[in-house]
Amino acid sequence: MELLMGRPAAHPSTRMGYLAWQVVHVMGSRLERALRSLNLTAAQHNALQHVVWTPGISAAEIARRTGFTPQSMGAAVNALVDRGLLARREHPSSRRTVQLTITDGGAKLAERARGVVERLDEEALAVLAPAERAVVHTLLLRMLAELNPDALPTMDLRGTS
């Protein structure tokens, strides 16, 4: 075992950040592969879902909520608009803000994509008992509320247990 500063080097699997990164990487790769069948990227999927949840949302706000860069979210939104899945409209009180709305075709595709994501979640969570799933979900919500509160609905979830 290698020594670091006179102590045995800990395996990365002892670090929460390493484990979280590995899970995110695997889940992200699986999601990208599964969404290809719908001709969607993860950024496009996130854009569609956020417009369904919050009609009139801007691409910049979706980027803040999802952790995608504004540039990659802008490209995702442009592709969805070009495909007729999203539509843009001027914000009533701010000419600089463009609101996004979903088209009928976009709503249908968002529903199909939601089914893909639910299946992937079930596959990933199959190793956990129902009570363990609830605990993991609660803990992830609390961490996300602290690390990126923009990613969550407006309710405060930090105190959830």
Side-chain angles (χ1 to χ4, degrees), residues 57-158:
I57 192 170
S58 69
E61 181 61 24
I62 297 170
R64 273 190 294 282
R65 290 181 183 185
T66 61
F68 285 93
T69 66
Q71 295 81 5
S72 63
M73 187 51 64
V77 166
N78 286 340
L80 293 170
V81 169
D82 290 348
R83 289 173 60 189
L85 301 169
L86 291 180
R88 291 185 176 100
R89 70 172 189 237
E90 190 175 296
H91 190 280
S93 62
S94 172
R95 296 180 123 189
R96 299 183 77 199
T97 303
V98 175
Q99 295 181 310
L100 298 170
T101 58
I102 197 149
T103 65
D104 289 341
K108 289 175 185 167
L109 185 58
E111 182 63 31
R112 289 178 57 205
R114 227 180 345 268
V116 167
V117 170
E118 288 170 2
R119 181 179 48 79
L120 289 174
D121 282 352
E122 280 302 313
E123 289 172 6
L125 294 169
V127 68
L128 301 175
E132 292 171 320
R133 291 178 183 200
V135 169
V136 168
H137 186 256
T138 298
L139 295 174
L140 288 172
L141 279 173
R142 284 177 46 202
M143 291 176 69
L144 188 56
E146 183 63 32
L147 298 170
N148 183 12
D150 289 338
L152 298 170
T154 55
M155 63 184 151
D156 184 6
L157 297 169
R158 283 174 285 223

Side-chain angles (χ1 to χ4, degrees), residues 1-16 18:
M1 177 174 278
E2 186 178 332
L3 293 178
L4 288 176
M5 300 178 82
R7 296 182 310 172
H11 189 274
S13 65
T14 64
R15 307 291 305 161
M16 189 276 308
Y18 174 82

